[in-house]
Amino acid sequence: MKQYEYIVIGGGAMGTAAAYHLARDGRQALLLEQFELGHQRGSTHGESRIIRLSYELPEYVRLMRRAYTLWAALEQDAGERLLTKTGGLDMGAPESAMLRGCIESLTLEGVEHEILDAGEIRRRFPQFRPDDGWMGLYQEDAGILPPTHCLLTLARMARHYGATIVDRTPVRNIGVRDGEIEVITDEETLRCRRLIVTAGPWAGALLRQIGLALPLTVEMQQVVFFAPADPAPFSVGRFPVFINYADPSVYGFPIYGGEGVKVAEHHGGPIINLDEYDQQVRQEGVERVREWLRRHLPGALGPLLRAHTCLYTNTPDQHFIVDRHPAHPAIAIGAGFSGHGFKFAILIGRMLADLAQDRALPPEAALFSLARLNQPDP
């Protein structure tokens, strides 16, 4: 039976970041991933994710500042460029609670930003056709992170500092025995002193084995790429990442990595059973995105290049779970990142590594406690 100091289950963004931080701290860490590293069945894959400071709660703004610092440190450590700044435009009706919350949080935290009316959005970014009465929030530090590149960079650096990474190795069972944690795969039984479970959509089933039933739902989302007739206005430097707070809520990217304009709905996808997940794109979702583009971004609506799916693992309040198992404090949990977690991955990994080493978390992490899920709404 092999013995490890720390085991991390789940080689997505959060787990790989946790293994990187543990190894960099000089800890003996094993990372187990059930599929190939960088696979496309979960939530961490593809060419682009938005990174932004604009958030509706000031706690997230403060955490994002830490995340920006940690991404920059990883870039320096790895000798890799990961973050591309494009600026970010949030849009919606003035009464949008999300948009108002972002403006209030950035103001409270002293983050520079600009407020644009619909006419100013059209003048500044003539690619858009906002409804009359819309307002915009522009923040220059927003940009793009490439998730697969980031994950593989984290894995490379984790190995550099001594972590062991084993993919194509599903964990079949976890338990607590004789004061240690037991992790069973198809090949062997492993033991460790501390365990981190950050298994994305598969976290709920694993944690039920050790008496923890989390209120998680798995939602299928899809992203769509279009080839505009004139790509120049949609290039990095001329076109920002954007989010539209409306129904449907749509977000998108400039042309990045040699592909077209990427656009997707945020939430609203079907809740799925993982055993039945076939990664098949739903045409009705593609048509909703097409209709939004016709109304608000017509120059981007060229031929469909491709579409693919990904998964959101949602908590009821869409805040993350980053905490210890209430009955087994040697087990740290990262789960329920609700479709907005990737930009925080380098920080979540740091927090999970800190939990596993009995270090304090920043005060903002109270948002992510398990206890709040058992409290009734006020």
Side-chain angles (χ1 to χ4, degrees):
M1 183 179 298
K2 290 184 181 177
Q3 188 85 26
Y4 288 87
E5 188 179 12
Y6 298 86
I7 294 178
V8 181
I9 300 176
M14 313 303 175
T16 310
Y20 164 69
H21 287 298
L22 285 169
R24 202 168 190 274
D25 291 345
R27 304 299 187 180
Q28 180 204 34
L30 168 68
L31 172 64
L32 297 172
E33 165 55 46
Q34 64 176 323
F35 303 117
E36 69 278 5
L37 203 64
H39 68 86
Q40 299 190 4
R41 299 169 182 84
S43 306
T44 304
H45 61 272
E47 47 294 299
S48 54
R49 296 289 188 278
I50 291 174
I51 181 169
R52 59 189 171 95
L53 284 164
S54 60
Y55 255 92
E56 68 276 13
L57 293 179
E59 291 92 338
Y60 279 107
V61 179
R62 293 194 291 270
L63 290 169
M64 273 312 308
R65 280 179 151 161
R66 291 189 179 97
Y68 269 86
T69 299
L70 288 172
W71 284 119
L74 175 62
E75 287 182 317
Q76 184 173 7
D77 195 16
E80 295 269 5
R81 182 187 178 191
L82 300 173
L83 196 158
T84 298
K85 287 191 179 181
T86 63
L89 179 65
D90 298 3
M91 299 178 291
E95 61 269 21
S96 165
M98 293 286 285
L99 188 54
R100 282 292 178 189
C102 289
I103 293 169
E104 291 169 6
S105 293
L106 292 181
T107 301
L108 182 64
E109 295 301 316
V111 177
E112 291 187 8
H113 60 281
E114 301 174 65
I115 307 300
L116 313 177
D117 62 23
E120 289 169 322
I121 293 172
R122 294 185 192 105
R123 286 190 293 272
R124 184 84 165 267
F125 303 106
Q127 303 92 331
F128 288 105
R129 301 289 184 270
D131 288 348
D132 292 337
W134 275 13
M135 65 184 298
L137 162 64
Y138 180 77
Q139 209 290 312
E140 66 179 4
D141 295 309
I144 298 171
L145 288 169
T148 298
H149 185 194
C150 289
L151 185 147
L152 296 178
T153 299
L154 285 163
R156 174 171 67 84
M157 295 308 297
R159 288 187 173 112
H160 170 76
Y161 287 111
T164 301
I165 298 177
V166 181
D167 64 358
R168 299 177 177 86
T169 304
V171 170
R172 300 304 184 188
N173 204 293
I174 55 177
V176 179
R177 191 183 303 274
D178 300 327
E180 289 191 313
I181 302 155
E182 202 168 75
V183 176
I184 300 174
T185 73
D186 291 335
E187 302 298 327
E188 58 189 340
T189 297
L190 309 167
R191 282 199 172 188
C192 63
R193 189 171 63 86
R194 297 295 176 99
L195 178 68
I196 296 174
V197 178
T198 177
W202 296 270
L206 276 175
L207 291 166
R208 281 194 293 273
Q209 296 176 359
I210 45 174
L212 186 60
L214 297 180
L216 300 174
T217 57
V218 179
E219 178 185 355
M220 193 196 82
Q221 296 297 133
Q222 55 193 42
V223 298
V224 190
F225 294 81
F226 295 95
D230 181 5
F234 299 96
S235 59
V236 171
R238 294 184 61 181
F239 189 69
V241 295
F242 70 89
I243 304 172
N244 174 226
Y245 297 113
D247 186 15
S249 179
V250 171
Y251 66 94
F253 300 74
I255 297 171
Y256 174 84
E259 298 200 278
V261 176
K262 174 183 171 181
V263 189
E265 292 180 283
H266 182 51
H267 287 297
I271 303 302
I272 65 161
N273 181 328
L274 277 175
D275 294 334
E276 300 170 359
Y277 178 42
D278 58 10
Q279 298 181 273
Q280 293 299 307
V281 171
R282 271 58 167 178
Q283 189 59 35
E284 60 270 24
V286 175
E287 292 307 316
R288 285 194 299 271
V289 170
R290 283 187 195 273
E291 179 57 30
W292 190 92
L293 291 174
R294 287 188 190 100
R295 292 179 57 194
H296 300 300
L297 198 62
L301 189 54
L304 176 67
L305 292 174
R306 69 181 181 93
H308 65 77
T309 65
C310 65
L311 300 177
Y312 287 5
T313 306
N314 299 321
T315 63
D317 59 10
Q318 295 185 21
H319 297 317
F320 314 149
I321 296 170
V322 182
D323 205 346
R324 293 184 176 90
H325 191 298
H328 306 292
I331 300 174
I333 300 160
F337 294 101
S338 302
H340 66 112
F342 182 83
K343 64 185 76 66
F344 294 93
I346 189 72
L347 174 63
I348 297 298
R350 178 69 269 170
M351 292 165 66
L352 290 167
D354 286 343
L355 274 179
Q357 296 177 82
D358 295 324
R359 296 174 178 172
L361 298 188
E364 294 84 3
L367 272 177
F368 310 146
S369 72
L370 283 167
R372 109 269 178 176
L373 296 173
N374 299 320
Q375 296 174 354
D377 293 333

